[in-house]
Amino acid sequence: PVGSTILNSSIGRYFAKLLGYADALIFVSYVQRDLFMKHLKAVLDSPIPRSYVIYNPIPDTKYSKPIEVNAGYFGGFSPLKGYYIVLRAWVRVFSRHRDRTLFMTKIGEFIKKSTVLRKNNVFAYGRLEPNELEQLWSRVGVVVVPSIWQEPAPYVVVETLLRGRLLVASRVGGIPEITAGAPGVRLIPPNNIDSLVDALDWVLSMDPRDTVELGLKNREYILRRFDNERSVGELIKVFERELHR
């Protein structure tokens, strides 16, 4: 719906017209390409340019063993990222796991100061410095990505697996495409509180040693799944192919 609104606005139509002069389009996931093309066909009069999917290079993120198995949310104060969904689910989860904590980053001041959330072991932060963020990651064993919009290739999903953490995420956008086959990932329907509660309970009830083992398997998976040299090679091939047409 968001993409449709943009592409059907006056700016969107102008943008679509400019795309008619493009030789090729490059997308970071197949889901992104499919969604974009679907809306583009509705407003573009000229033939649709050739398209390619080349995944973003993965960062050089090192593994760090979690010293605690708490939950982390790094999506910020955006309804589309689902911060309110994880909060509603956590209140129920905390009644079963009172020794665990939910950490949230890039969150508004009123949440940070909420005494109700503190009683439920919810700790919210603004933007953290790199060293502060590293310390926070050491206390997180599972990351929650409860998005309700079609994110093409969310960075936090890749970083979570590279860091060797478990992931609970909405089955939307490019998330299933990135994580399909990862053993320490639980995908849930978007905006489904019950499913999120069950998924978090699955992780927090786990033996910490199993959490670490599954997290390591997640890291092995993402390193096999994405190869930076291959991505760069594919991008160069696209440039060469289009230059010689």
Side-chain angles (χ1 to χ4, degrees):
V2 175
S4 179
T5 301
I6 293 174
L7 284 175
N8 283 293
S9 67
S10 58
I11 295 176
R13 289 183 178 279
Y14 179 69
F15 178 64
K17 185 175 181 180
L18 288 178
L19 286 179
Y21 298 102
D23 294 317
L25 302 175
I26 297 176
F27 299 91
V28 298
S29 68
Y30 287 95
V31 166
Q32 183 191 37
R33 183 178 68 177
D34 293 345
L35 287 170
F36 192 88
M37 290 300 184
K38 176 182 177 181
H39 295 295
L40 189 60
K41 289 177 181 178
V43 296
L44 189 64
D45 297 327
S46 57
I48 295 178
R50 289 175 295 280
S51 64
Y52 304 89
V53 173
I54 299 177
Y55 293 112
N56 284 330
I58 60 174
D60 184 24
T61 302
K62 306 299 182 184
Y63 170 76
S64 60
K65 182 178 178 180
I67 60 176
E68 299 176 29
V69 184
N70 298 303
Y73 166 83
F74 300 95
F77 195 55
S78 167
L80 294 178
K81 295 287 188 177
Y83 77 90
Y84 59 94
I85 299 172
V86 70
L87 283 174
R88 290 176 60 189
W90 181 258
V91 172
R92 291 168 53 183
V93 170
F94 183 65
S95 65
R96 311 175 194 175
H97 302 279
R98 293 191 172 275
D99 58 335
R100 304 303 174 90
T101 300
L102 170 64
F103 297 107
M104 308 180 76
T105 64
K106 297 180 286 187
I107 292 297
E109 289 297 322
F110 87 91
I111 286 185
K112 291 168 60 176
K113 297 177 180 179
S114 171
T115 55
V116 174
L117 295 183
R118 284 298 179 94
K119 290 180 181 179
N120 287 278
N121 274 13
V122 177
F123 290 85
Y125 304 88
R127 292 190 176 275
L128 299 176
E129 295 297 324
N131 64 316
E132 296 173 319
L133 196 54
E134 287 297 324
Q135 293 177 9
L136 185 60
W137 271 104
S138 71
R139 303 185 64 188
V140 171
V142 56
V143 173
V144 188
V145 183
S147 296
I148 61 171
W149 74 290
Q150 302 293 331
E151 297 199 55
Y155 175 84
V156 68
V157 168
V158 175
E159 184 181 13
T160 295
L161 303 191
L162 283 172
R163 286 184 178 273
R165 300 302 191 267
L166 274 64
L167 174 71
V168 174
S170 298
R171 191 181 290 107
V172 296
I175 295 176
E177 187 176 329
I178 294 171
T179 64
V185 173
R186 181 70 68 89
L187 298 181
I188 60 174
N191 203 18
N192 190 309
I193 305 297
D194 291 339
S195 295
L196 182 52
V197 169
D198 290 343
L200 284 171
D201 187 50
W202 165 68
V203 176
L204 299 180
S205 299
M206 198 179 295
D207 187 299
R209 291 170 295 185
D210 294 334
T211 304
V212 171
E213 182 180 349
L214 275 178
L216 284 169
K217 290 181 178 179
N218 276 352
R219 177 174 171 82
E220 293 171 0
Y221 161 85
I222 201 72
L223 290 173
R224 289 195 310 268
R225 178 77 170 78
F226 297 99
D227 183 282
N228 286 351
E229 290 186 7
R230 183 173 63 239
S231 294
V232 171
E234 290 174 351
L235 183 61
I236 292 173
K237 288 179 181 178
V238 169
F239 289 156
E240 291 175 341
R241 187 178 302 125
E242 295 303 322
L243 284 173
H244 290 92
R245 281 187 182 273

